Amino acid sequence: MSPQSPQPPAGPLLTDHLAHWAANRPHQRAFTYVEFPEPSASGLHHTLGWQGLDARARAIAGRIAASAGPGERAALLLPQGLDYTAAFLGCLYAGVIAVPLFSPELPGHGGRLAAVLADCEPACVLADANSAAGVERFMAEQALPPVPVVLVGRPGVDRYGPDVHHPRETSATAALPERLEPDDIAYLQYTSGSTRSPAGVVISHANVVANARQAIDAFAAEAASSTTVGWLPLFHDMGLVLSVAAPVVGGFPSVLMDPVAFLEHPVRWLRLLAAYPGTISAAPNFAYDYCASRIDREEAAELRLDRVKVLINGSEPVRPGTVERFRDAFADAGLAPEAHCPAYGLAEATVFVTTDTFAAPPTVLACDPLALSEGRLDVRLDVREPTDPEATDLVACGTPAGQELIVADPSTGAEREEGEVGEILLRGPNIGLCYWKRNGLSEEVFGFRPPGATEDEDETGWLRTGDLGALHEGRLYVTGRLKDLIIVDGRNHYPQDIEETVQSAVDLVRRDRLAAFRVPWTGTDSDVLVVVAEHRRGAEPTEQDVLAALRTATAAVSARHGLRLAELLLIPPGALPRTSSGKVARAAGRERYLLGAFGEGGRDGAEGGR
């Protein structure tokens, strides 16, 4: 690199890197937030250079330090934007444990927010001028202990408007700690809760820097030629690492937009991808389907996506059909097929674990569905011809990014051979320390030692991910969640496969908004299979429509999986529980079904229903 492009420091802290770029590239663009105040707006760009970001983070750190000491928690109840980024980095400067959360204004997640605040017991909460009053009101309504509200924003103004003062706002400042250790806690990353109630993963300063470097190496990101573009929430593990931590470590620009702005008009995301060189971005599988179906041909024709470097597809099962639909929809815009990059990760590993290469299109493995389901968890992936219509297609999630990965028997922990399905175990510098205040669960999940492992105290235990998968030719293929697995007559069935069968067969079903699970049924000795699915927006299904949908789904599930579908319950759009990151929460959906909370669901047949 030239003197104008100095190498990043070897410092172990995220704030070491921020201070380095602030000193060496003070006025270069660091973070940009694109605001869409009106539906037709082209986007207002608000930008901070490295020096400006560092100054703002240090100023916020001083305010935080006046209310919270090192090791205490500060909850970020802020909207997406530059203030969120500065507040998170300010917590790290202050030596306070950040808890990335969201404003109480986010609909449908008030219960989760209250539960997390009660669990992490913050010494203060961070809000902006627009949200501070609502934050105080929410905490009072939830009977949470009153704590100081640290107002985040530029002096004299809120995000982009006049200042508003609030009774509990604190503007005092205090000195910052002299030095933090890499193993000190940086933040608590609360899991999305797709299979259990949220738990706080304890992430150290060393963990987040290690995972940021792993991502930078995996995607060959460079300060001079790369830009991350993201709409994922910054309280989400992928959003935080890819849009904040990796740019700070690597010294390259980050462009942010609000998730709602993406959902309103997904073409906004693609326009930003086209506007910068070497763009790297990430989204869950459903977002790529959403773009393919919601962006019309006229909008797609205006895009030039030839500068897009990597589009990470992760956080839920990657469907081959989605990869094809997205590729076909935007091929004329110059999008390279190899840019679509399936990956695998989880909060317990900070986020990034494996990623496929961006030097070739995604790898799809056609497997024998009976071979995948026979036995419990010790079957081999049976490779078939990719054109076989009866095959189950699995998308490769690539190879480990700077960490160790093995596949093991979930019952014994014995390592499985290549091609055998088992639980994914991980070990590396990015693996979180434990779960917050959950010692028993932490030892079970973070401290696992396979048979034959030494008892050397210096040897780190393995992380049990709870995810199932297999290695084939060095690549990881994720097959599902251990807790979601549906076992019938000794055969394994993955809920996402059943859901794909139903949504492919029934036009009335809204794509990726359904959940398959088993429930106890009165008068039988075994559980039965139920699918709860949102119907398409604008549809008003009649009784005949519902019966026809059930017949079609029953036939498809029987033919494809050899299972009897007891019920297909159609519910209105938005009624199925989702996590804060947008994934369907199957466990919560099953619970609501059993309680009869879907209206007609959980009815007479299901034990526990009305």
Side-chain angles (χ1 to χ4, degrees):
M1 286 188 171
S2 66
Q4 288 74 32
S5 301
Q7 291 282 359
L13 307 178
L14 206 58
T15 47
D16 290 337
H17 292 77
L18 176 58
H20 173 83
W21 301 125
N24 290 277
R25 297 178 182 168
H27 305 300
Q28 287 192 13
R29 178 170 57 89
F31 282 75
T32 298
Y33 176 67
V34 184
E35 183 185 23
F36 297 91
E38 302 293 338
S40 59
S42 59
L44 301 176
H45 290 59
H46 307 272
T47 298
L48 279 175
W50 289 111
Q51 187 179 69
L53 176 62
D54 185 63
R56 189 180 295 193
R58 290 176 185 270
I60 294 172
R63 297 187 195 179
I64 295 171
S67 299
E72 292 187 305
R73 278 73 58 208
L76 281 70
L77 307 187
L78 291 158
Q80 190 98 332
L82 300 178
D83 286 341
Y84 202 113
T85 303
F88 174 75
L89 296 169
C91 289
L92 304 191
Y93 265 130
V96 170
I97 300 173
V99 186
L101 293 170
F102 44 87
S103 168
E105 297 172 358
L106 184 68
H109 297 285
R112 178 180 183 272
L113 179 60
V116 171
L117 288 171
D119 186 66
C120 73
E121 301 176 292
C124 65
V125 297
L126 278 60
D128 66 7
N130 290 332
S131 63
V135 165
E136 287 190 327
R137 185 168 55 251
F138 174 82
M139 297 189 72
E141 292 171 350
Q142 298 294 327
L144 294 166
V147 296
V149 176
V150 177
L151 192 64
V152 174
R154 290 171 291 175
V157 297
D158 67 1
R159 287 177 74 204
Y160 311 116
D163 189 16
V164 179
H165 293 275
H166 296 278
R168 202 175 292 278
E169 175 197 340
T170 176
S171 58
T173 61
L176 305 183
E178 290 187 7
R179 186 65 186 170
L180 301 172
E181 296 299 322
D183 290 335
D184 288 342
I185 302 172
Y187 61 98
L188 304 182
Q189 180 66 64
Y190 275 83
T191 61
S192 58
S194 58
T195 58
R196 61 171 179 240
S197 59
V201 181
V202 178
I203 302 296
S204 71
H205 292 271
N207 290 153
V208 66
V209 171
N211 205 224
R213 285 176 173 155
Q214 289 163 342
I216 290 168
D217 292 343
F219 304 119
E222 297 180 351
S225 59
S226 300
T227 301
T228 60
V229 174
W231 57 264
L232 289 176
L234 295 183
F235 58 80
H236 185 263
D237 48 11
M238 179 75 82
L240 187 62
V241 173
L242 188 65
S243 290
V244 178
V248 169
V249 171
F252 46 83
S254 174
V255 178
L256 304 168
M257 62 181 286
D258 194 280
V260 174
F262 164 75
L263 293 173
E264 288 176 342
H265 297 289
V267 72
R268 291 167 170 168
W269 177 42
L270 300 193
R271 285 171 179 161
L272 288 178
L273 287 172
Y276 298 91
T279 45
I280 300 171
S281 192
N285 191 81
F286 85 85
Y288 295 99
D289 258 327
Y290 190 68
C291 287
S293 62
R294 291 290 299 272
I295 298 175
D296 60 38
R297 291 185 177 181
E298 291 184 2
E299 290 175 322
E302 298 174 356
L303 297 170
R304 295 309 311 162
L305 301 176
D306 53 298
R307 295 199 295 176
V308 175
K309 185 175 184 178
V310 176
L311 290 177
I312 303 163
N313 187 333
S315 85
E316 60 188 47
V318 179
R319 303 188 188 278
T322 300
V323 176
E324 293 177 7
R325 283 187 291 272
F326 188 82
R327 179 193 63 202
D328 294 344
F330 303 106
D332 290 343
L335 181 67
E338 57 269 24
H340 206 118
C341 193
Y344 165 69
L346 67 165
E348 287 82 351
T350 306
V351 65
F352 284 105
V353 174
T354 69
T355 180
D356 207 3
T357 177
F358 58 91
T363 303
V364 178
L365 189 66
C367 305
D368 186 332
L370 290 179
L372 280 174
S373 65
E374 285 177 350
R376 290 280 177 174
L377 302 169
D378 56 355
V379 298
R380 287 183 175 274
L381 289 172
D382 187 4
V383 182
R384 289 186 169 195
E385 292 297 323
T387 55
D388 188 342
E390 298 300 320
T392 295
D393 291 335
L394 300 177
V395 179
C397 290
T399 56
Q403 53 204 284
E404 298 177 80
L405 184 153
I406 61 173
V407 174
D409 185 314
S411 300
T412 67
E415 186 172 353
R416 292 280 169 87
E417 295 183 7
E418 179 164 306
E420 292 183 334
V421 177
E423 184 178 5
I424 301 167
L425 305 184
L426 303 171
R427 185 168 65 181
N430 56 301
I431 304 302
L433 303 181
C434 60
Y435 288 120
W436 181 252
K437 299 195 301 188
R438 299 194 182 191
N439 293 336
L441 182 61
S442 295
E443 182 60 28
E444 176 186 340
V445 173
F446 288 88
F448 181 73
R449 296 184 183 278
T454 67
E455 294 298 326
D456 186 345
E457 292 183 358
D458 294 331
E459 183 178 351
T460 305
W462 291 79
L463 170 70
R464 298 192 61 170
T465 66
D467 291 319
L468 297 171
L471 292 167
H472 180 76
E473 296 181 350
R475 291 188 176 93
L476 175 67
Y477 292 82
V478 180
T479 58
R481 286 285 297 170
L482 185 61
K483 291 185 177 181
D484 285 340
L485 197 63
I486 297 172
I487 303 175
V488 180
D489 296 330
R491 291 183 172 176
N492 301 326
H493 300 272
Y494 298 98
Q496 69 269 18
D497 294 339
I498 297 170
E499 292 157 7
E500 175 65 22
T501 296
V502 171
Q503 69 183 8
S504 297
V506 182
D507 291 338
L508 198 58
V509 169
R510 190 180 178 202
R511 177 162 286 277
D512 293 329
R513 291 294 180 266
L514 66 168
F517 44 78
R518 290 178 64 79
V519 295
W521 204 261
T522 303
T524 68
D525 295 330
S526 60
D527 293 351
V528 298
L529 176 64
V530 167
V531 173
V532 177
E534 296 180 6
H535 61 69
R536 286 185 288 102
R537 290 191 182 277
E540 296 182 4
T542 64
E543 185 175 349
Q544 289 76 16
D545 293 333
V546 173
L547 290 174
L550 175 60
R551 285 194 297 269
T552 301
T554 299
V557 170
S558 176
R560 179 72 175 174
H561 307 282
L563 296 173
R564 177 182 175 274
L565 179 63
E567 181 175 14
L568 171 63
L569 177 64
L570 294 175
I571 58 177
L576 192 64
R578 285 186 284 166
T579 68
S580 57
S581 59
K583 294 184 289 186
V584 169
R586 291 192 186 96
R590 181 179 184 275
E591 182 179 353
R592 292 193 65 182
Y593 177 89
L594 290 172
L595 292 173
F598 289 124
E600 292 299 314
R603 49 196 179 191
D604 299 336
E607 293 182 2
R610 302 187 280 107

